[in-house]
Amino acid sequence: MEGVVRSVGFAPVKGMRHLDLDHVDLDEQGAVGDRAYCLVDVERRRVLRTVQHPSLMSIVAESYDDDGLALTLPTGERIEGQAAASGETITCDYWGRAVDLALTVGPHAELITAQLGRDVRLARAPRTAVVFGDPITVVTTASLRQMGGEMGVEAARFRATLVLDTDDPWVEDTWLGQEIDLGGATVRVGGPVPRCTVIDHHPETGEKDARILQSLVRQRPTNRSGEPMFGVYATVTRPGRVGVTR
């Protein structure tokens, strides 16, 4: 099947603002640049999770060059610099999985530590190391409209790699195993994406301002943990560039 792409995006630093981009480059491991960095609580050896630190969404991270990273705080304060490897590595827990990360040196950690009020380090993550499930997530316009009829749900709350245009709500539930031609690349649809309380937080401020999760629980199938499903995972079968259809 062919897909019409209405938006694309990702966050270069896990948990920070989901960027709305003109295009993404997909390879076998997902969107190039997606969650290339993460924040680490070195003392506890844990990767910071968005669900526990939603205020991260108020920070805009933008990558440039090879190791260049710019961060913009809600205050407008902005810092740019190289997030170069320090030579230190650390093994951290991420949702019960051990991940090896390369700690970086640069001006970013001090800024984030001040913003969060806790000591953190910025680390470079191997591709997909701090990704839960498959590397690509897809939501559809019809399903967003179905939710939006109740409360005006923005696509950004779901932090999806791709938003595809559809006519029928929840049609993506029937796509398991299908390949979607996106013009410059092709993806194969996997299982449904379980949702947590992150979607109840404003995608630009991180403040809790809605009860979308509760509404989803009433409308959608849930997993054993009681998490409702919205959107689907996908893997890349043909790498290439995917742009927004205007």
Side-chain angles (χ1 to χ4, degrees), residues 177-188:
Q178 289 195 44
E179 291 199 339
I180 304 176
D181 184 352
L182 303 171
T186 304
V187 299
R188 177 178 291 121

Side-chain angles (χ1 to χ4, degrees), residues 55-85:
S55 64
L56 286 173
M57 290 188 280
S58 68
I59 305 174
V60 178
E62 300 166 282
S63 298
Y64 61 92
D65 299 332
D66 289 334
D67 294 318
L69 185 67
L71 301 180
T72 305
L73 297 184
T75 60
E77 182 181 359
R78 179 181 173 88
I79 190 166
E80 297 183 15
Q82 297 295 305

Side-chain angles (χ1 to χ4, degrees), residues 13 46 65 112 118 141 194 200 202 224 243:
V13 179
R46 290 182 180 175
D65 299 332
I112 302 167
R118 63 183 298 167
T141 55
D200 287 344
H202 193 279
R224 292 181 180 179

